[in-house]
Amino acid sequence: MQYACRMRAPFDIAVVGGGASGLTAAIAASREGRSVAIVDRMPRLGKKILITGGGRCNLGNERLDPGLFHSTNPGLVASVLARFGTREIVSFFEGLGLRIVSDGDRLYPATNQAASVLKVLEMEVRRRRVSVIPGFEAVSIIRSAEASRAAASDGRTIEARAFILAGGGRSYPALGSDGSAYALARTAGHRLIEPVPSCIPLLVRDPWCHFLQGQRVRAQAEAWIDGQRAAEALGDVLFTAYGLSGTAVLDVSTDISIALHRGKKARAEVVLDLLPDMSAEALSAELARRLEGGWGAADLVSGLLPEKFGRTIAGLIPGGPPRPARTAAALAAVLKGKRFAVQGTRGWNEAEFTSGGVDAGEIDRERLSSKKAPGLYFAGEILDVQGPRGGFNLSWAWASGTLAGRAAAGETG
């Protein structure tokens, strides 16, 4: 995609960051007749969009509830999503020519390709004559009454009457969001809630992870922090050489990551129910029947769990005189509540989202403008706003980007 690239000064609005929120902010502002530029440190816009939803781009959710988001300013999230929710998101993309289909509550492009989402956004940017300046790593914004100026690390500058910071968080830094935009917010006087990786695989040192690595099962996962249950989720659990992953683990990982990285909590655990569709009593009775029938230790969970589990639990069978009922109850308790101590998380390149960012309490909930610096607006993951997996975070990006773009356009008219 060839972009228009004009450095005329000043623009009405400059958007720092060309991801999901930055693209929609630029489109919204340009539709109001404003001259708009996008500056981005990467050579191409929207690269992170291409990996969302496993390459399908889960771009929204029909169950877009503000109460599912974590933020220092819940009122901001509620205000934004009340004005630009699922219906508006679908209408926006259908207006760009993208057909939307649902898979349960989740929304996807009919093509099942994230590239289609990026393509229609880029086409609209080009139609609206938005200037795109790639390879521009903004390191400072100097504000003045008439027009502010952003400087890049290579010495280039761009002037605009208003700036929208849409530089993203820190997840997947190789795709552009490395947290560099936080420094711009700080120099404008904003407080930063320490960013930590979320929806992230967990580091666990446990023999089960070693013996079961590569094994995937459906399980109920719970996050426990200092003896208190913090979150739970049903889904896939993947055992790895380093610990635990899979959708259920990712869904409960955020509270653990915050506790370990930001709160410096001493004890975090994941508790797995490996047979969530079977009660403890039914499982205990079945295991007792098998023990009484002379089943070998390595065969006790055959038909219930993958074969690797049989070899793993064989060492849990006590020696001495057979006690089927007691042994069965003990094994059932382990399989329905196996505890894993968590030592840490994987790195930013494996985090789906960022928890933390610019304090959302310092942002005007109606205009998404800075309460600290006139002429500065915010959109997307740079703010301390995070939703669960399932299209919620992209919904926030589209919505906050659109409303920030409109607000900035209204104040530069």
Side-chain angles (χ1 to χ4, degrees), residues 208 271-275 280 283 287 305 309 312-313 316 327-340:
W208 280 44
V271 180
L272 296 183
D273 179 350
L274 295 163
L275 289 158
L283 177 58
L287 292 174
L305 288 167
F309 282 87
T312 302
I313 70 165
L316 302 178
T327 299
L331 289 176
V334 172
L335 295 174
K336 296 288 291 181
K338 169 61 178 169
R339 307 187 81 90
F340 296 87

Side-chain angles (χ1 to χ4, degrees), residues 357-388:
V358 174
D359 185 348
E362 299 175 347
I363 309 303
D364 183 275
R365 68 177 60 182
E366 297 298 320
R367 297 159 53 241
L368 285 102
S369 57
S370 167
K371 296 178 181 179
K372 304 278 188 178
L376 189 62
Y377 299 79
F378 290 86
E381 197 178 10
I382 190 173
L383 290 169
D384 179 33
V385 174
Q386 188 214 332

Side-chain angles (χ1 to χ4, degrees), residues 160-401:
R161 297 167 63 192
F163 277 84
I164 300 174
L165 293 190
R170 291 190 61 191
S171 59
Y172 295 114
L175 298 180
S177 56
D178 64 349
S180 57
Y182 292 142
L184 300 176
R186 275 185 168 141
T187 59
H190 282 279
R191 184 172 79 101
L192 198 66
I193 308 299
E194 182 185 351
V196 301
S198 68
C199 288
I200 181 91
L202 300 174
L203 302 178
V204 173
R205 296 191 189 97
D206 189 285
W208 280 44
C209 295
H210 173 73
F211 294 133
L212 295 170
Q213 60 181 290
Q215 188 65 65
R216 188 185 297 272
V217 295
R218 181 174 179 272
Q220 178 84 15
E222 295 178 349
W224 285 71
I225 299 166
D226 284 349
Q228 300 293 318
R229 185 170 62 183
E232 61 181 337
L234 179 67
D236 289 343
V237 171
L238 174 66
F239 293 87
T240 72
Y242 60 76
L244 297 171
S245 188
T247 59
V249 172
L250 296 181
D251 285 341
V252 302
S253 66
T254 297
D255 291 277
I256 290 176
S257 182
I258 291 172
L260 294 177
H261 292 294
R262 192 187 299 162
K264 314 303 181 187
K265 296 289 184 180
R267 187 159 54 97
E269 296 175 296
V270 169
V271 180
L272 296 183
D273 179 350
L274 295 163
L275 289 158
D277 298 321
M278 195 173 193
S279 70
E281 293 76 17
L283 177 58
S284 180
E286 176 60 20
L287 292 174
R289 182 187 70 81
R290 295 181 178 198
L291 285 164
E292 290 167 355
W295 288 42
D299 300 324
L300 282 177
V301 294
S302 294
L304 301 175
L305 288 167
E307 292 306 306
K308 280 187 176 182
F309 282 87
R311 297 191 293 274
T312 302
I313 70 165
L316 302 178
I317 310 298
R323 294 182 174 182
R326 181 177 297 184
T327 299
L331 289 176
V334 172
L335 295 174
K336 296 288 291 181
K338 169 61 178 169
R339 307 187 81 90
F340 296 87
V342 180
Q343 280 74 46
T345 69
R346 298 287 277 181
W348 281 107
N349 270 324
E350 294 182 49
E352 293 197 14
F353 310 118
T354 301
S355 180
V358 174
D359 185 348
E362 299 175 347
I363 309 303
D364 183 275
R365 68 177 60 182
E366 297 298 320
R367 297 159 53 241
L368 285 102
S369 57
S370 167
K371 296 178 181 179
K372 304 278 188 178
L376 189 62
Y377 299 79
F378 290 86
E381 197 178 10
I382 190 173
L383 290 169
D384 179 33
V385 174
Q386 188 214 332
R389 290 184 321 108
F392 292 91
N393 291 285
L394 269 181
S395 293
W396 168 252
W398 314 130
S400 61

Side-chain angles (χ1 to χ4, degrees), residues 1 23 27 31 44 59 92-100 109 111 113-127 398:
M1 175 70 68
L23 285 164
I27 290 169
R31 286 178 172 179
R44 184 189 174 183
L59 54 78
F92 170 74
F93 278 105
E94 288 183 341
L96 297 180
L98 187 73
R99 182 166 165 260
I100 306 298
T111 61
Q113 293 183 340
S116 300
V117 177
L118 181 56
K119 178 69 178 294
V120 297
L121 290 168
E122 289 182 312
M123 288 171 61
E124 183 69 359
V125 162
R126 186 170 59 180
R127 278 194 297 264
W398 314 130

Side-chain angles (χ1 to χ4, degrees), residues 15-34:
V15 181
V16 179
S21 61
L23 285 164
T24 47
I27 290 169
S30 65
R31 286 178 172 179
E32 300 296 322
R34 304 296 174 262

